[in-house]
Amino acid sequence: MKKNILILPLFSFATNLVLAQSGAKSKTKTNTTANPAAQKAILKTFQDSVSYACGMSFANYYKSQGVKDINTAYLSKAVNDVLKGKNVLFNDETANRIMNRYMFQLQAEKVKPAIDSGKKFLAANKTRPGVKTTASGLQYEVIKEGTGEIPAINDSVTCHYRGSFINGTEFESSYSSGRPITFSMHGVIRGWTEGLQLMTVGSIYKFFIPYTLGYGEFDYGAIPGGSTLIFEIELLAVKKNTAQ
């Protein structure tokens, strides 16, 4: 299960405008219906229309990111200060830092229910017979114990696996495709890297991975941020790193 590098959402009004002009579609649509009469009464020039469209592009983008309220007076001031070359209140680095902090706050609020349900699940799960818990919080259950070698941190491995959420919904499986995967031990989430080093070739383990050892607080494809995940992994082979 590979993990991509997190790219932080930055405050980039110009980028959003370019996307809008190039035809990129926003995931969020306004709830209002276009009003031709209001357009004619309010928008006197093409520049008025451009300005309003820019505002819609900005609002739709940040609404899709979870922004529910914004002080439009300060928004307008910032836009005017930048476009007219006036002294701005923040430099770019500070503005980006503020926006990143805010987006992290929004994400934390969004994923809190998933994190709380995961913690509750893991607290109950660790009391089941046969479930062991490591110092990091990783939980595992031995389905079948193999007799082969144990992979080291710099090795590559070949595995079959299936992944599911704590509600039992399966989101991915190499068994379904009929093709095991081969990957570096450094190229997967922390829960896999730690767990695979407990296994011998031929083993089948079930791992219960808290979000801190998985994909963290941000969405990853079909996996919502903050998700506790369950993986059943069958270790088929180890390729030793001879360059060590």
Side-chain angles (χ1 to χ4, degrees), residues 124-139:
N125 189 63
K126 71 179 182 181
T127 65
R128 291 196 303 110
V131 174
K132 299 178 181 179
T133 305
T134 70
S136 71
L138 177 69
Q139 296 180 5

Side-chain angles (χ1 to χ4, degrees), residues 144-159 185 194-205 233-242 244:
K144 174 187 175 184
E145 193 66 83
T147 57
E149 61 185 329
I150 299 174
I153 187 65
N154 293 315
D155 294 339
S156 295
V157 296
T158 300
C159 299
M185 291 280 285
E194 178 183 351
L196 284 164
Q197 292 179 83
L198 302 172
M199 302 177 69
T200 57
V201 172
S203 295
I204 301 175
Y205 280 26
I233 302 176
E234 180 179 2
L235 181 56
L236 301 175
V238 173
K239 182 179 180 181
K240 304 302 292 183
N241 183 353
T242 58
Q244 298 180 61

Side-chain angles (χ1 to χ4, degrees), residues 8-233:
L8 298 181
L10 300 180
F11 184 77
S12 179
F13 185 53
T15 300
N16 295 331
L17 292 184
V18 170
L19 289 174
Q21 292 168 356
S22 65
K25 295 182 178 178
S26 169
K27 293 181 179 180
T28 301
K29 295 183 179 180
T30 54
N31 292 326
T32 56
T33 302
N35 187 335
Q39 291 176 22
K40 187 175 181 180
I42 298 172
L43 305 175
K44 304 297 184 182
T45 67
F46 178 66
Q47 193 63 27
D48 291 345
S49 297
V50 170
S51 300
Y52 193 84
C54 286
M56 287 184 62
S57 175
F58 173 89
N60 277 328
Y61 175 77
Y62 280 100
K63 184 179 179 182
S64 74
Q65 302 303 307
V67 176
K68 298 178 180 178
D69 188 30
I70 196 166
N71 189 321
T72 54
Y74 286 109
L75 172 64
S76 179
K77 174 176 172 52
V79 171
N80 285 325
D81 287 349
V82 171
L83 294 181
K84 294 180 180 179
K86 295 181 179 181
N87 291 332
V88 292
L89 301 181
F90 307 128
N91 59 27
D92 289 344
E93 181 181 355
T94 301
N96 283 340
R97 185 169 64 250
I98 290 170
M99 285 305 300
N100 281 335
R101 178 181 175 184
Y102 181 51
M103 299 308 286
F104 270 112
Q105 288 177 348
L106 290 177
Q107 185 65 17
E109 293 172 5
K110 174 184 174 182
V111 303
K112 188 178 186 302
I115 291 175
D116 289 346
S117 63
K119 288 180 178 179
K120 182 178 180 181
F121 170 85
L122 292 171
N125 189 63
K126 71 179 182 181
T127 65
R128 291 196 303 110
V131 174
K132 299 178 181 179
T133 305
T134 70
S136 71
L138 177 69
Q139 296 180 5
Y140 68 96
E141 181 179 8
V142 178
I143 307 302
K144 174 187 175 184
E145 193 66 83
T147 57
E149 61 185 329
I150 299 174
I153 187 65
N154 293 315
D155 294 339
S156 295
V157 296
T158 300
C159 299
H160 260 312
Y161 74 96
R162 61 173 54 91
S164 60
F165 300 114
I166 57 176
N167 65 3
T169 301
E170 185 176 293
F171 58 82
E172 199 168 76
S173 172
S174 66
Y175 291 103
S176 297
S177 65
R179 295 188 299 272
I181 61 171
T182 299
F183 53 87
S184 165
M185 291 280 285
H186 289 291
V188 287
I189 57 177
R190 290 171 56 200
W192 274 52
T193 300
E194 178 183 351
L196 284 164
Q197 292 179 83
L198 302 172
M199 302 177 69
T200 57
V201 172
S203 295
I204 301 175
Y205 280 26
K206 181 176 285 189
F207 293 100
F208 307 89
I209 302 178
Y211 80 100
T212 52
L213 300 178
Y215 293 98
E217 295 184 351
F218 287 85
D219 296 350
Y220 180 84
I223 300 174
S227 294
T228 292
L229 303 173
I230 302 172
F231 284 100
E232 183 178 304
I233 302 176

